[in-house]
Amino acid sequence: MTKSHAWFALTSKPRHEKVVAENLRGKGLESFVPLYRTRRQWTDRVQSVDLPLFPGYVFCRFAYASRFPVLSTPGVTSVVGFSNVPAPVDDDEILRIRAIQASGLPVHPWPYVRVGQKARIERGALAGLEGVLIREKDALRVVISVELLRRAVAVEIDRDMIRAVAGAEHASMAHVYLTNEAKVSTVRPG
């Protein structure tokens, strides 16, 4: 693909993300459905399943002027945009999501978190990745947001792997969200 091809988020019919991505690839288009593994309970068994990190969305790289093959793909309902103007997804956001998946660390969907509350992972497979630091129970997670979709994913990390990002709101602190309480506390970086 050339530089004129941008990543776009496509909306899909519910639970059709994987089929849509496969159909787009069949048309020669680059598509991406980030997945996470979770356990689901049925009446007779528990099974591990791969689910989309962003339910109802598929990422696809294409030239918007040549969008007809994309929009005519079964299961695709629209290109995400604002006021009928398509909004491309930043390449860096796609790269960050791919890095998280390639790391092998536990990942799952997370509610969108506001800009300005960032931390950087300093070492390990995700070194250099920036996101929002949160605390859930006894685990620390870095949440990576996809601005266009107003969605996010979380990856579990060790405390000694992170530092606050300079220039962010409260640059000397990384915000830690207590997900089981309605308040926010802060942690000073080491």
Side-chain angles (χ1 to χ4, degrees):
M1 296 285 161
T2 65
K3 274 294 195 192
S4 65
H5 293 76
W7 282 102
F8 290 93
L10 308 174
T11 57
S12 70
K13 290 181 180 177
R15 295 178 300 282
H16 283 73
E17 299 89 352
K18 294 177 195 175
V19 172
V20 166
E22 186 65 32
N23 288 338
L24 291 166
R25 282 191 290 274
K27 292 182 176 189
L29 297 164
E30 186 178 0
S31 64
F32 177 48
V33 177
L35 302 171
Y36 72 103
R37 182 158 288 244
T38 188
R39 296 179 63 80
R40 293 294 166 149
Q41 174 77 47
W42 282 272
T43 55
D44 62 337
R45 69 191 183 285
V46 175
Q47 188 171 358
S48 291
V49 294
D50 290 328
L51 297 176
L53 274 171
F54 306 103
Y57 296 95
V58 176
F59 298 102
C60 185
R61 185 189 293 267
F62 61 96
Y64 187 73
S66 304
R67 66 190 172 276
F68 182 74
V70 173
L71 292 172
S72 64
T73 302
V76 172
T77 56
S78 68
V79 177
V80 176
F82 302 100
S83 302
N84 292 327
V85 176
V89 178
D90 190 324
D91 286 348
D92 288 339
E93 289 181 344
I94 298 293
L95 290 173
R96 288 194 299 256
I97 294 167
R98 284 188 161 163
I100 287 171
Q101 283 204 296
S103 75
L105 295 170
V107 62
H108 57 87
W110 199 263
Y112 182 78
V113 184
R114 298 190 191 283
V115 175
Q117 303 152 347
K118 293 190 174 189
R120 178 181 296 116
I121 299 175
E122 294 292 317
R123 61 183 185 79
L126 299 176
L129 194 80
E130 292 183 6
V132 178
L133 179 66
I134 60 155
R135 177 183 302 279
E136 183 180 68
K137 298 179 184 171
D138 290 335
L140 288 177
R141 298 182 188 337
V142 173
V143 176
I144 306 302
S145 299
V146 176
E147 300 292 330
L148 176 66
L149 301 182
R150 298 192 63 78
R151 304 265 180 124
V153 298
V155 61
E156 192 170 315
I157 49 100
D158 292 328
R159 176 184 306 273
D160 62 342
M161 295 172 66
I162 56 168
R163 294 287 178 256
V165 174
E169 182 181 45
H170 307 295
S172 65
M173 301 178 198
H175 288 266
V176 177
Y177 281 80
L178 302 174
T179 56
N180 57 356
E181 298 179 25
K183 64 182 182 179
V184 176
S185 66
T186 57
V187 172
R188 299 229 180 251

